[in-house]
Amino acid sequence: MRPTSRSRTPSGAATARQAWIALRWLATSLSPVARGVAGEWPRTAEAVVRATRDIATATVATGVLGPGHPHATPVTPADGDRRFRDEAWATRRYFHVLQQVYLRSDGLAHEAVELAGLPDGPRRRAHLAVQLLSEALAPTNTVPGNPEVLRTAVRSRGRSLLKGARNAAGDLCHNHGRPRQVPASAFALGRDLAATPGRVVLRTPLLELIQYAPQTPAVHRIPLLISPPWVNKYYGLDLAPGRSLVEWAIRHGHTVFAISYRNPDRELRDVTLADYMLDGLLAACEAALDITGAPQLNLLGACNGGTLVVMLQAWLAAGRDRRVRSTTLLNTYVDFSDIGVWDSLADDHTLAAGERLMTERGYLEGHTLALLFDLLRGRDLYWHYFGRNWLQGEDPPPFDLLAWNNDTTNVTAAAHRDYVHELALGNKLAAGVWEIAGRTLRLDRARQDAFVVAARNDHIVPWTSAYHGARLLAGDVRFSLSSGGHVAGVVNPPQPKASHWSAATLPEDPVQWLEGAQLRKESWWLPWVAWLSERAGDHVEPPSLGNDRYPAGAPAPGTYVHL
């Protein structure tokens, strides 16, 4: 099959419809707050009076006594808020008052949400809407409200503002309107990223399967197959030399295979989650077993690639198929009863409007999903680069994680529909009622050992949700909580700052687990590779790259990764 090219930049009409969906979500999220505070007008008036008094006090105290006086700072920025790290916010009257007005207004907006007396779901949605609007309206996102921008403009005699305007125009035209997080040509696939040697041994309309070359004289008999997220490029797990989980496993004597999914276009619009499981992951399993001659294999799945692993594990168990020896799950939803911030985004109208747009196009564009992920951590992943690149005229520094993050992948309309309705809303996998190809997926039948990793600062898969999913697995389960976020918690090679928590038992309450867990000043990669080796069999001579049925083809990272 000849690979097709990337999808084109969306039409103006499609972009306008996406913007309309977002604006309507904001309106429907905040309108209950307006109605609620109107019904609580005495308490609302008190809150407004308090906020006005605080702002007035801060303004007068700053003007008369200076920014350093205690009365000049009724509100302090949260720890880790990089927006106000410049010393001008604490020493210059203009900027200090601007900061206090912004922070106190932000606090008043969130207080209004609480005063509205909304049910839990609408209340969380309103808080998220306030957060998104507040971050967009921060003074640091303007030239006169950002001391670093003004200082740089003066020093450069305005050239930084011109450079920022050029950066903005370039990103609006060539980066789907997102501030660029890494230089466009900072990394080359196959050289700087996805550089572990190997060959493509299987290519289908859906995937390429890469078999990596051995790096040890002998290897474990049972191979490792990696199931990456199907909403990202696979090489997040084969990032850069020294920061590659693939390389780490190979150097510890494992024969490693990895799936590289094709970037979906209209031709793949009808590919469902069942297709990803049967024509994707299962087909890759069969190829890996055929090439190595092993009776079983170990599976590793990341994010929704991990969900796919659990689905296949349960599907095979329903057919009494024991080809899977163990599973490793990284930042994976299994139990969708608590999906964190995603629950606030999934109102009926927004889902219906988004699905209509996806049905027309055939897929959800990867850059749209990436923008959503960025805005959920908007301070660090969007507005930081907005200020640095577009206002201050800087170029972003090279960073391998963000280079991978910006190499987006589309999502087929059918797979997105399955994920939302069958998993996120229906929670059918956890309930044991989802039927695929004549088999019911029941987790209590899948008794393979599992090593489950979550990240404490994950904003996409909350670690408590990953923990609850781990408790649904029927085998011997080991749970590890990594430092870092959704990506950095996985790309966490041994280094001085690496750490994770672990414990011998899995009580019902994840908070209780954390209180009793031991903090270990080491990467979770170390205990994981030891755990995996115990389940990978004896050492044998390394298998050849491919065989007669699955001949070795293009060198890694293959062709689909470039689409």
Side-chain angles (χ1 to χ4, degrees):
M1 194 223 37
R2 183 174 62 87
T4 58
S5 62
R6 282 182 184 268
S7 62
R8 295 180 177 178
T9 301
S11 67
T15 302
R17 289 177 64 185
Q18 291 170 354
W20 172 248
I21 292 172
L23 289 173
R24 196 180 192 286
W25 177 84
L26 284 172
T28 56
S29 299
L30 294 176
S31 57
V33 178
R35 292 192 296 268
V37 296
E40 292 285 344
W41 66 265
R43 296 172 62 199
T44 302
E46 290 178 8
V48 172
V49 168
R50 286 195 303 271
T52 304
R53 184 178 62 239
D54 288 344
I55 291 173
T57 300
T59 303
V60 173
T62 300
V64 177
L65 303 173
H69 194 277
H71 291 307
T73 311
V75 187
T76 57
D79 292 340
D81 191 341
R82 297 190 296 172
R83 297 174 298 178
F84 302 109
R85 64 185 177 183
D86 191 280
E87 64 176 11
W89 295 107
T91 59
R92 297 298 182 93
R93 286 176 167 82
Y94 165 73
F95 289 111
H96 187 74
V97 170
L98 195 61
Q99 177 205 70
Q100 291 300 302
V101 171
Y102 169 73
L103 292 177
R104 192 60 184 88
S105 300
D106 174 69
L108 176 62
H110 284 287
E111 188 177 356
V113 174
E114 293 298 323
L115 289 173
L118 303 177
D120 190 47
R123 180 179 59 82
R124 292 198 308 269
R125 187 175 300 123
H127 275 302
L128 177 60
V130 167
Q131 172 194 321
L132 294 175
L133 282 174
S134 176
E135 290 178 350
L137 296 173
T140 46
N141 300 333
T142 67
V143 172
N146 191 318
E148 293 181 82
V149 171
L150 289 174
R151 190 180 302 117
T152 303
V154 170
R155 289 174 179 172
S156 67
R157 298 183 180 182
R159 287 190 293 272
S160 63
L161 297 178
L162 292 176
K163 175 71 183 311
R166 286 197 297 269
N167 288 345
D171 289 342
L172 289 171
C173 294
H174 305 296
N175 199 44
H176 306 287
R178 295 169 61 206
R180 200 172 295 278
Q181 297 173 337
V182 290
S185 58
F187 300 97
L189 293 180
R191 184 194 69 195
D192 307 302
L193 306 174
T196 305
R199 301 288 291 274
V200 173
V201 294
L202 170 66
R203 178 183 294 161
T204 74
L206 186 59
L207 64 82
E208 288 181 333
L209 179 65
I210 298 169
Q211 180 186 359
Y212 291 97
Q215 298 184 20
T216 54
V219 297
H220 290 283
R221 178 170 178 77
I222 297 178
L224 172 67
L225 172 61
I226 292 178
S227 170
W230 39 268
V231 297
N232 296 106
K233 297 295 179 66
Y234 85 93
Y235 65 89
L237 298 171
D238 184 24
L239 202 58
R243 288 166 53 78
S244 165
L245 189 61
V246 167
E247 177 188 61
W248 176 259
I250 293 170
R251 291 186 173 179
H252 285 79
H254 295 275
T255 298
V256 179
F257 294 80
I259 296 171
S260 175
Y261 287 112
R262 174 182 164 192
N263 192 3
D265 53 18
R266 290 180 185 272
E267 295 178 16
L268 299 183
R269 64 183 305 146
D270 296 322
V271 172
T272 65
L273 269 187
D275 295 327
Y276 272 106
M277 185 187 79
L278 298 174
D279 299 335
L281 184 55
L282 180 59
C285 289
E286 292 171 346
L289 291 172
D290 190 275
I291 291 170
T292 61
Q296 291 181 303
L297 80 171
N298 295 308
L299 291 178
L300 181 150
C303 193
N304 53 32
T307 307
L308 209 62
V309 163
V310 176
M311 290 168 54
L312 180 63
Q313 182 183 359
W315 190 85
L316 291 174
R320 301 183 183 277
D321 190 321
R322 305 301 180 191
R323 280 179 282 182
V324 176
R325 173 67 181 87
S326 75
T327 59
T328 299
L329 305 178
L330 311 178
N331 296 340
T332 294
Y333 276 121
V334 176
D335 182 354
F336 288 78
S337 58
D338 178 11
I339 55 176
V341 69
W342 301 107
D343 184 52
S344 299
L345 296 170
D347 65 272
D348 292 340
H349 179 86
T350 302
L351 287 176
E355 287 178 3
R356 283 195 297 271
L357 190 60
M358 270 186 287
T359 299
E360 294 173 9
R361 186 179 296 276
Y363 54 86
L364 172 64
E365 291 169 309
H367 66 84
T368 300
L369 193 59
L371 175 61
L372 178 59
F373 288 156
D374 286 352
L375 288 176
L376 292 178
R377 283 188 56 200
R379 291 183 192 176
D380 296 327
L381 295 180
Y382 188 88
W383 298 111
H384 171 74
Y385 295 97
F386 178 95
R388 289 288 183 182
N389 303 1
W390 291 8
L391 302 184
Q392 205 162 340
E394 295 184 356
D395 293 320
F399 186 26
D400 53 10
L401 277 178
L402 289 178
W404 167 79
N405 186 62
N406 280 263
D407 193 2
T408 59
T409 301
N410 301 329
V411 178
T412 72
H416 180 272
R417 191 161 47 245
D418 286 346
Y419 193 83
V420 169
H421 293 284
E422 306 298 332
L423 291 173
L425 299 181
N427 205 16
K428 291 184 177 180
L429 180 61
V433 296
W434 196 7
E435 183 174 313
I436 294 179
R439 299 182 186 179
T440 301
L441 309 187
R442 287 181 48 184
L443 299 182
D444 59 346
R445 294 174 176 170
R447 301 189 175 278
Q448 291 90 345
D449 295 346
F451 195 105
V452 181
V453 179
R456 190 167 188 182
N457 299 319
D458 195 332
H459 68 295
I460 295 175
V461 182
W463 78 267
T464 51
S465 297
Y467 180 90
H468 288 305
R471 296 188 74 254
L472 293 178
L473 304 177
D476 181 19
V477 178
R478 182 168 176 175
F479 185 81
S480 177
L481 181 61
S482 173
S483 57
H486 186 70
V487 180
V490 171
V491 184
N492 195 1
Q495 43 93 6
K497 294 184 179 180
S499 63
H500 72 279
W501 290 263
S502 63
T505 60
L506 293 177
E508 182 177 355
D509 184 3
V511 176
Q512 181 184 349
W513 177 89
L514 183 58
E515 290 173 349
Q518 181 180 357
L519 175 61
R520 301 180 184 275
K521 297 293 186 178
E522 63 179 14
S523 167
W524 65 265
W525 289 19
L526 292 165
W528 168 74
V529 79
W531 176 92
L532 182 67
S533 296
E534 293 173 355
R535 292 156 179 81
D538 297 332
H539 284 87
V540 297
E541 182 180 347
S544 62
L545 293 185
N547 60 13
D548 291 340
R549 186 176 181 186
Y550 298 97
T559 57
Y560 283 179
V561 73
H562 295 286
L563 302 183

